[in-house]
Amino acid sequence: MLLSLAACGGGEVTAPPPEQPAASEAAASQAAAEADWAVYWYLCGSDLETNGGFASGDFAELLEVTLPDNVKVVIETGGSSAWHNDFVDPSKLQRFVYESEGLKLVDEQPS
């Protein structure tokens, strides 16, 4: 056994060189960067919105973001008896689209 351990020693251990991404992986990454993206967000106000305006605060934060032309955020609102902003109606379920051109209401249903 001593001889078998002696055969394992010595020599310097080096890490193999890092692999470069294949051309197809690079092309896929580039295509993903150029693709159109949609983010869907259900903003349920609940009592946190009614009593403290927390969902409205989150909504206001999103509206501060400048989106690239290929990204849209679809926001569905509901679930609160009062909203602390001027554009969400608590008596309706509303759907907004936020994109590089701004925010627009695209659908509303009775709640």
Side-chain angles (χ1 to χ4, degrees), residues 3-84:
L3 290 174
S4 65
L5 290 176
C8 293
E12 187 176 316
V13 177
T14 59
E19 291 185 30
Q20 297 297 322
S24 61
E25 288 178 25
S29 282
Q30 181 68 22
E34 295 173 1
D36 290 336
W37 290 86
V39 177
Y40 294 87
W41 185 22
Y42 176 56
L43 192 56
C44 181
S46 74
D47 62 337
L48 293 172
E49 174 61 23
T50 301
N51 298 329
F54 293 105
S56 287
D58 290 343
F59 209 147
E61 267 186 75
L62 171 66
L63 298 178
E64 292 176 7
V65 175
T66 302
L67 295 174
D69 291 336
N70 66 334
V71 176
K72 293 182 182 182
V73 180
V74 179
I75 305 127
E76 179 99 16
T77 62
S80 182
S81 59
W83 285 82
H84 295 262

